[in-house]
Amino acid sequence: MTKSQQMSDLKTEIVLCKKCPLFQSRKNAIPGIGSYHSKIFMIGEAPGKQEDEEKKPFIGRSGTILAQWLSSIHLLRKDIYITNIVKCHPPNNRDPSSLEISTCFAYLIRQLTIIQPSLILTLGRHAAKALFSLCSLPFTSLQNHHGKLYSITLSYGTVRLIPLFHPATLCYRPSMKKILYSDMQKVAKHIH
Ligand code: URA
Ligand code: SF4
């Protein structure tokens, strides 16, 4: 089966999924978006309200910031694959629970195994924590890990991982702008 057939089968499963409580309140489960041949794989937290309605990840305020981050290092959204640690919108934008994250994680692993990226960028604490835990790396805080390069082993090989803050950080902590953009410069060193 080609990558695109495998991703299409997976998409069908995700949109019908009722494996965790989030299925009750979501409008749409959102598998992800982007090129299946991308070497860069980005993992956010969870679809927001607007994403839930329009069926695409990162199209609201966080999406606008993300597009600016990407363009600061000459990347386009279409050059990367973007998904979330949970595929359904948590009610009132609450944090996803550990049960929801661990249940949905199987889909993320399958997406990674099909796409086989060489660089994973996590956005926010939840995605970083889940990837660290998968590889038995001790997670302390995003403050400590952000912008650093880690090497992790997945079923298909060794992959680089750079944890980043979530784009929404800029909305409630504008003073972090410099740090967030300097992390993107670190990402740039590993892609160009
Ligand atoms: N925030 C996320 O983490 N993911 C989205 O898809 C949208 C906002
Ligand atoms: Fe299924 Fe994931 Fe949605 Fe839960 S969040 S219902 S596991 S797709």
Side-chain angles (χ1 to χ4, degrees):
M1 258 208 284
T2 65
K3 279 189 182 194
S4 114
Q5 284 164 333
Q6 293 178 72
M7 287 298 282
S8 152
D9 288 354
L10 185 52
K11 187 174 177 177
T12 310
E13 268 184 66
I14 293 173
V15 298
L16 297 173
C17 179
K18 294 184 176 178
K19 287 188 181 152
C20 91
L22 289 182
F23 93 88
Q24 291 165 324
S25 50
R26 70 157 188 240
K27 286 202 178 93
N28 295 291
I30 300 151
I33 196 166
S35 164
Y36 305 151
H37 300 281
S38 177
K39 292 286 153 219
I40 308 170
F41 190 105
M42 195 170 245
I43 312 169
E45 181 175 317
K49 193 168 177 346
Q50 197 174 340
E51 285 81 10
D52 185 40
E53 279 161 12
E54 296 182 38
K55 301 191 200 175
K56 279 187 195 147
F58 285 102
I59 50 165
R61 210 150 52 132
S62 294
T64 309
I65 297 170
L66 181 60
Q68 287 163 357
W69 286 9
L70 294 175
S71 83
S72 77
I73 58 167
H74 311 291
L75 270 182
L76 295 172
R77 272 178 71 124
K78 70 171 178 56
D79 299 327
I80 60 181
Y81 189 80
I82 310 179
T83 186
N84 284 299
I85 204 83
V86 295
K87 314 301 190 205
C88 300
H89 172 53
N92 304 316
N93 264 340
R94 66 157 171 76
D95 282 1
S97 72
S98 39
L99 171 86
E100 290 154 1
I101 293 175
S102 60
T103 310
C104 207
F105 201 58
Y107 293 127
L108 187 89
I109 296 295
R110 284 168 64 191
Q111 290 175 319
L112 286 168
T113 311
I114 297 168
I115 296 178
Q116 307 203 346
S118 53
L119 177 64
I120 298 175
L121 304 172
T122 55
L123 301 173
R125 182 169 53 94
H126 292 289
K129 247 178 126 170
L131 268 285
F132 271 53
S133 142
L134 173 73
C135 303
S136 306
L137 280 173
F139 183 87
T140 54
S141 70
L142 195 52
Q143 217 32 273
N144 185 24
H145 299 298
H146 76 94
K148 294 183 185 158
L149 180 69
Y150 295 86
S151 181
I152 62 172
T153 305
L154 297 180
S155 63
Y156 64 89
T158 302
V159 185
R160 291 163 303 157
L161 164 70
I162 303 178
L164 299 170
F165 284 103
H166 194 280
T169 311
L170 203 51
C171 303
Y172 56 86
R173 285 173 73 191
S175 59
M176 296 270 293
K177 189 168 181 179
K178 237 179 156 169
I179 296 173
L180 303 178
Y181 275 89
S182 95
D183 280 356
M184 289 314 288
Q185 290 306 317
K186 292 176 193 157
V187 169
K189 281 197 203 131
H190 296 282
I191 52 174
H192 293 306

